Amino acid sequence: MTRELVHRSSVAEVFVTDGARIGDRGFAVAAQWPRDHALYHPDENGLSDPLLFAETLRQGMVYIAHRYCGVPLGRRFVGRDIDFEITDHAALRVEGVPPSVVLVGEWNWDGDDARGRGGARMDFRLVVDGRACGWGTVSMLMMDERRYRLLRRLGGGAADASGAAPARTAVSGAPRTPPHRVGRLRWRDCVLEEAAGSDEWRLRVDREHAVLFDHPTDHIPMMVMLEGFRQLGHLKVHEAGDGPFAGLSFALVRTTVQCLAFGDFVRPTRLVVDECASGARPQETNRLSLSAVQGDTVLARARTAWACVGTRPAAAVPASW
């Protein structure tokens, strides 16, 4: 699989390995998930990171668009929404060899046909080592450079030239949330900063991060928003208090993200907890509604669900990297 077909610069970040048409609108996409990864590493219970699934959904749709649906290389892809659920977390346990991952999906253009359409959606089923364990949907806009620049101007921003080098990230000076509180191993992977208000955090955007910013872009990518929502959800669920859930480990089982506006780098982005509902028993899911906001503009909204998958092992706080 060439990097260009999944919009990645680093070979190490290409998870899709192959694909095939299985009908008029049906496709199968093969992928290999790493047993370990700098950002998308297994959790404390040895389960694969659900965001590996999210990133594979993104790569799978981009690959199908270029390889089978006539979308030329060089088109700009803008994520509109992503929705996925892990229905069998045990199937994501990391074993002695990388798991065999297959996405079986269907392509749908927006509207009645593909003529002049700039958007599409793919609905996938997740199969890991022959075991159906989830589903996901991803929707994107796909447009040429002229239409993309027009869309960015209408959104109040300016499009960088494709391939332009990223500007250095301005340091806000706000305290960064320690990695062990957000389910991460390294300080550089923490995208949460503490904010003054209650239940508010700031999204830390590091354009030099090798995974989150694998290639230059002129706006905050959907996967960066998703990482911010995931980290904030992890913090809220695991720090809910010393009640009956203390010491339990929760995994992300469902995420729905709707992208509403472009996020610009020059403006601070707040992450806000709109609603937090805990189940009455450990086996019941914890649900959070979250928003990413710049000024008075809501960039994205998310709904997440977390389920208990075991107990938290006693471990020292990871050292700074």
Side-chain angles (χ1 to χ4, degrees):
M1 178 64 60
T2 62
R3 296 167 294 168
E4 293 80 8
L5 286 177
V6 295
H7 294 190
R8 277 302 191 184
S9 295
S10 171
V11 173
E13 300 305 321
V14 177
F15 302 141
V16 170
T17 59
D18 200 0
R21 184 186 290 273
I22 55 175
D24 182 35
R25 294 182 298 171
F27 302 90
V29 176
Q32 186 178 84
W33 291 347
R35 292 166 59 198
D36 202 357
H37 188 271
L39 180 64
Y40 303 131
H41 52 77
D43 68 9
E44 56 198 8
N45 290 286
L47 302 178
S48 292
D49 190 329
L51 263 62
L52 277 175
F53 180 29
E55 173 60 17
T56 307
L57 288 172
R58 187 198 68 80
Q59 291 189 18
M61 181 171 184
V62 172
Y63 167 71
I64 294 300
H66 289 315
R67 177 68 177 82
Y68 295 102
C69 295
V71 179
L73 292 172
R75 288 289 171 92
R76 297 269 198 159
F77 281 59
V78 179
R80 293 190 297 183
D81 55 66
I82 186 168
D83 186 3
F84 64 91
E85 182 177 12
I86 304 297
T87 56
D88 181 2
H89 249 89
L92 270 61
R93 187 166 302 281
V94 177
E95 304 290 354
V97 295
S100 171
V101 178
V102 177
L103 304 184
V104 182
E106 181 178 274
W107 175 280
N108 287 287
W109 289 101
D110 286 347
D112 297 328
D113 55 45
R115 292 176 296 180
R117 304 296 181 184
R121 185 188 79 248
M122 285 210 75
D123 303 306
F124 286 106
R125 289 184 292 113
L126 171 65
V127 181
V128 176
D129 290 332
R131 186 171 171 178
C133 57
W135 59 267
T137 296
V138 59
S139 174
M140 296 186 187
L141 292 173
M142 299 160 288
M143 61 197 75
D144 58 28
E145 196 67 24
R146 182 188 65 82
R147 291 181 63 196
Y148 178 77
R149 289 177 178 275
L150 175 61
L151 182 64
R152 288 292 280 126
R153 286 198 299 271
L154 291 175
D160 293 341
S162 181
R168 283 192 175 273
T169 304
V171 178
S172 68
R176 196 185 320 187
T177 307
H180 70 278
R181 295 183 63 193
V182 295
R184 287 287 161 246
L185 300 176
R186 309 183 303 176
W187 279 94
R188 71 182 66 176
D189 297 329
C190 301
V191 300
L192 290 189
E193 293 178 347
E194 297 178 11
S198 174
D199 273 343
E200 287 194 10
W201 283 261
R202 182 174 294 176
L203 182 68
R204 182 181 179 87
V205 179
D206 181 2
R207 297 180 76 179
E208 296 181 351
H209 193 284
V211 177
L212 294 174
F213 288 90
D214 167 82
H215 55 275
T217 179
D218 58 28
H219 63 275
I220 302 174
M222 179 173 65
M223 289 301 296
V224 177
M225 296 283 191
L226 181 52
E227 180 63 25
F229 291 139
R230 185 266 290 277
Q231 290 191 16
L232 181 50
H234 184 281
L235 183 147
K236 294 294 293 183
V237 168
H238 287 93
E239 298 185 4
D242 297 326
F245 298 167
L248 298 181
S249 179
F250 293 85
L252 184 65
V253 294
R254 176 76 187 273
T255 300
T256 301
V257 175
Q258 182 184 21
C259 298
L260 304 172
F262 287 103
D264 291 317
F265 295 117
V266 296
R267 305 176 66 194
T269 301
R270 293 180 294 116
L271 297 180
V272 183
V273 179
D274 299 314
E275 184 179 1
C276 183
S278 299
R281 295 173 296 175
Q283 59 267 38
E284 296 177 356
T285 55
N286 291 262
R287 301 182 184 276
L288 292 91
S289 296
L290 312 161
S291 299
V293 183
Q294 286 188 343
D296 296 327
T297 301
V298 178
L299 304 181
R301 289 193 173 97
R303 298 190 305 273
T304 65
W306 299 72
C308 178
V309 293
T311 56
R312 305 201 75 180
V317 175
S320 302
W321 285 25

